[in-house]
Amino acid sequence: MESSASGTLDEAYQRLHATGPEFDGWLSNHGPMAAEAMVRHGHADRVHRWLDVYMRRLEEFPRGSGPIGASWQDALDDPRRIADWTAYFRREVAEQPWRLVLETWWPRLLPGVAAAATHGVIRVGHAVRALTEDGEDADHLSELAHGLAYWAARWQPVPGAVATEPPPATAAAGEPAGARPAAADALAAVPRITDQSGGIRDLLARLAELPGWPAALAVPHVPASAEALRSWLADLVHAATIRYLYYRHGEGIMLVHSATAPNAILRTLPVLDKRLWAPSVAASWAAAAALTAIYTPAAPAAQTELPDSPAGPQAAEETFARAVEHGDEHVIKFADTAADVCARAGNTHALAAAVRATQLIER
């Protein structure tokens, strides 16, 4: 990235770090994630104007109550400690390499992947991409600290999910072809809850009583080899993005995260020890399956309601530009993931899903 664009992101982080990670009680502050995506796709010149509007909704950064210490487990899932967690992680990334901090805390936070409707892990994924592609300056490191802190303060497991132990470093190659279902088939088999009223914590709690939920969580056997793990996770992101095209009308904003959360984890895999890849893929599946179960409508949209897939050599860039013009933070983040899917798989239906988001999510 050009230094001017990276500087724009630093300026955005500086503005946003004076605000809290939530507003209006529980809504997540998407500013850092959307700004990073806009800069990444060549729209640095739009970032500050977008923030001028977006930040009108945000609240001041909260005050702390005391330092996080050896009994840090007691402070997990305590949003009152967000400032304390942020101070803790800012010290951590200042005193040691950020990759070491991530290596230490990733397995501790991963079982709580549902934190803030998966926004904790998504924010960390955007921060990791900024650090690996732009460099390790103070503002980028601070954003990683804010992301980890938000994840810790809202830490929440997916009901029924069991953390997968990392395979041995000498694990054999992946399973035979056909030994596990494709990600799209696995998502299609996830049962849905019938009462989809209430907030995400209420909805997640209902999963424990959902017939077929334990079986759905166990469907995709995590492969053993590192390459197969990354491939399976990429397939999951692909499947969740395409599925959004057909099922977005159920809950357009929340279903975005069934794709963006696994994609955040996929982006983070390369900086993690490969022994952490298996539990990361398992957590990705748990998050995507949970969001699918609690927000999917009873039937897909009619084919006549769906937009055509964008075409042409600049289709991905034009689709993302359309998302920026729309302005909604969820649309921008989803278009970012759709562009990733299109680049990996060449499937322009992913771009059609992003276009559908611009049509149905109100700004």
Side-chain angles (χ1 to χ4, degrees), residues 69-191:
S71 58
W72 55 265
Q73 293 94 333
D74 296 336
L76 285 176
D77 190 20
D78 187 349
R80 298 169 300 178
R81 304 296 302 277
I82 181 61
D84 304 330
W85 276 113
T86 304
Y88 174 84
F89 280 116
R90 289 189 68 151
R91 287 194 302 271
E92 290 291 290
V93 298
E95 295 172 359
Q96 56 186 314
W98 69 267
R99 293 171 188 255
L100 181 59
V101 175
L102 189 66
E103 194 88 6
T104 300
W105 279 93
W106 185 264
R108 295 174 179 177
L109 298 177
L110 196 61
V113 70
T118 69
H119 286 103
V121 71
I122 294 171
R123 186 164 176 176
V124 168
H126 279 274
V128 167
R129 181 168 67 171
L131 283 163
T132 54
E133 297 199 15
D134 299 347
E136 302 175 7
D137 65 43
D139 294 308
H140 283 46
L141 290 170
S142 180
E143 173 55 19
L144 177 62
H146 278 258
L148 290 169
Y150 188 35
W151 191 352
R154 281 295 189 185
W155 190 91
Q156 183 180 14
V158 173
V162 178
T164 304
E165 289 297 322
T170 57
E175 299 165 345
R180 61 186 187 276
D185 294 337
L187 279 176
V190 171

Side-chain angles (χ1 to χ4, degrees), residues 162-255:
V162 178
T164 304
E165 289 297 322
T170 57
E175 299 165 345
R180 61 186 187 276
D185 294 337
L187 279 176
V190 171
R192 63 182 295 274
I193 63 172
T194 54
D195 180 6
Q196 297 184 342
S197 61
I200 188 167
R201 283 182 173 264
D202 296 329
L203 293 167
L204 286 172
R206 291 174 198 154
L207 288 176
E209 306 300 325
L210 178 65
W213 176 242
L217 276 178
V219 163
H221 302 294
V222 176
S225 72
E227 197 54 43
L229 283 164
R230 192 193 323 228
S231 177
W232 199 92
L233 183 51
D235 287 346
L236 175 60
V237 176
H238 186 164
T241 302
I242 301 302
R243 186 175 174 83
Y244 182 92
L245 176 63
Y246 299 95
Y247 290 93
R248 174 267 172 248
H249 59 288
E251 219 301 345
I253 289 178
M254 297 305 293
L255 277 175

Side-chain angles (χ1 to χ4, degrees), residues 162-164 222 277-287:
V162 178
T164 304
V222 176
W277 286 22
S280 298
V281 173
S284 298
W285 168 250

Side-chain angles (χ1 to χ4, degrees), residues 245-270:
L245 176 63
Y246 299 95
Y247 290 93
R248 174 267 172 248
H249 59 288
E251 219 301 345
I253 289 178
M254 297 305 293
L255 277 175
V256 160
H257 307 109
S258 65
T260 57
N263 200 39
I265 294 175
L266 179 63
R267 289 171 176 166
T268 308
L269 285 188

